[in-house]
Amino acid sequence: VVLAENEAALAELGWQSFAQGLGFDRSQNIVTVQSAIAATIPIFSAGTSAEEHMDPLVEIFGTTCGYWAHTAARKGMYYPLLIISPAVAKVLAESGWTKQDVQNYLFKHSKVSARALYKHAWHIGFSETQFDLEMLVKSGIISDAYVQSEDPDRLVPVFIKPEWIGIVVAGDPNRNQSKGFVQNHDQAPPISKEITFPAKWQILREADRMKQKQSK
């Protein structure tokens, strides 16, 4: 997946960019690369309140990520990515929400049963001794939110940490659509680096535009 965040929309919303959320300055040109093992269906949301838009995001994005949450728990890391269109982000921002509010809401409301974690881990090839939530908690890999009771049907978090849920504003500004991507934990966390353009970057860009125009 290759995309650029809509910085004009971010400025209008008063939201931080994805890169700023990682500690970079708005003036820097940052490129982030991360793995993705699957994508959600297009997530359409409507309404005038943040909660109305968050409901399908939790249901579809949270549930899709839930099927892979057993590997997140085993690895102790999970960096899924949610792309929100400017139209959806506008409703969230007008409701007083920040990107951090979106992350926290997804983290709080996206749940999966402990039974499902064990079931999906078994299907991928791990026995109950190889995949044990209590041992993972004792090892400090995941928090004790996963072992609050012994009920196999207890609900546990899909995501490891709210700040690890990537939120990017991009896509058609006129569509009420979002899309999520499930990360493959075996390929480590996302990597972000600053890109320095050549001194004559604008001249080179204009020359390239002219060349493409002449070739049509």
Side-chain angles (χ1 to χ4, degrees), residues 5-22:
E5 192 161 32
N6 190 326
E7 294 189 353
L10 290 172
E12 185 179 330
L13 299 173
W15 277 15
Q16 281 191 329
S17 68
F18 180 82
Q20 282 179 298
L22 299 174

Side-chain angles (χ1 to χ4, degrees), residues 4 7 26-31 193-205 209:
E7 294 189 353
R26 191 67 170 264
S27 63
Q28 294 176 282
N29 295 299
I30 307 301
V31 171
K193 291 192 175 183
E194 182 177 10
I195 302 300
T196 302
F197 293 116
K200 297 181 179 180
W201 176 247
Q202 293 299 334
I203 297 174
L204 293 171
R205 284 185 64 191
R209 283 200 193 98

Side-chain angles (χ1 to χ4, degrees), residues 133-165:
L133 290 176
E134 287 191 9
M135 290 303 299
L136 291 170
V137 170
K138 288 178 181 178
S139 301
I141 295 175
I142 53 177
S143 74
D144 61 3
Y146 291 84
V147 292
Q148 292 297 307
S149 79
E150 295 182 358
D151 181 1
D153 293 313
R154 68 188 182 277
L155 296 180
V156 299
V158 166
F159 305 113
I160 304 299
K161 294 182 180 180
E163 61 267 29
W164 287 355
I165 305 170

Side-chain angles (χ1 to χ4, degrees), residues 5-94:
E5 192 161 32
N6 190 326
E7 294 189 353
L10 290 172
E12 185 179 330
L13 299 173
W15 277 15
Q16 281 191 329
S17 68
F18 180 82
Q20 282 179 298
L22 299 174
F24 293 99
D25 187 80
R26 191 67 170 264
S27 63
Q28 294 176 282
N29 295 299
I30 307 301
V31 171
T32 299
V33 177
Q34 76 169 76
S35 64
I37 197 170
T40 68
I41 60 171
I43 307 171
F44 289 93
S45 59
T48 57
S49 71
E51 288 79 4
E52 286 175 304
H53 285 271
M54 291 304 301
D55 180 61
L57 293 177
V58 168
E59 182 180 0
I60 300 173
F61 179 57
T63 299
T64 302
C65 290
Y67 292 120
W68 206 235
H70 62 91
T71 64
R74 184 165 49 86
K75 296 283 186 177
M77 64 177 182
Y78 204 2
Y79 298 88
L81 182 67
L82 179 63
I83 313 302
I84 302 175
S85 77
V88 173
K90 183 178 181 181
V91 177
L92 298 174
E94 288 178 345

Side-chain angles (χ1 to χ4, degrees), residues 79-178:
Y79 298 88
L81 182 67
L82 179 63
I83 313 302
I84 302 175
S85 77
V88 173
K90 183 178 181 181
V91 177
L92 298 174
E94 288 178 345
S95 298
W97 287 40
T98 64
K99 280 190 178 182
Q100 290 72 33
D101 293 322
V102 176
Q103 292 171 321
N104 289 333
Y105 192 95
L106 289 168
F107 177 78
K108 180 180 179 181
H109 294 278
S110 298
K111 302 290 184 180
V112 62
S113 71
R115 187 189 298 275
L117 289 185
Y118 280 104
K119 179 179 71 174
H120 295 307
W122 180 82
H123 278 294
I124 206 170
F126 291 93
S127 66
E128 286 197 12
T129 55
Q130 292 173 309
F131 180 79
D132 187 311
L133 290 176
E134 287 191 9
M135 290 303 299
L136 291 170
V137 170
K138 288 178 181 178
S139 301
I141 295 175
I142 53 177
S143 74
D144 61 3
Y146 291 84
V147 292
Q148 292 297 307
S149 79
E150 295 182 358
D151 181 1
D153 293 313
R154 68 188 182 277
L155 296 180
V156 299
V158 166
F159 305 113
I160 304 299
K161 294 182 180 180
E163 61 267 29
W164 287 355
I165 305 170
I167 306 292
V168 170
V169 176
D172 189 338
N174 298 313
R175 302 192 73 182
N176 59 326
Q177 186 184 123
S178 303

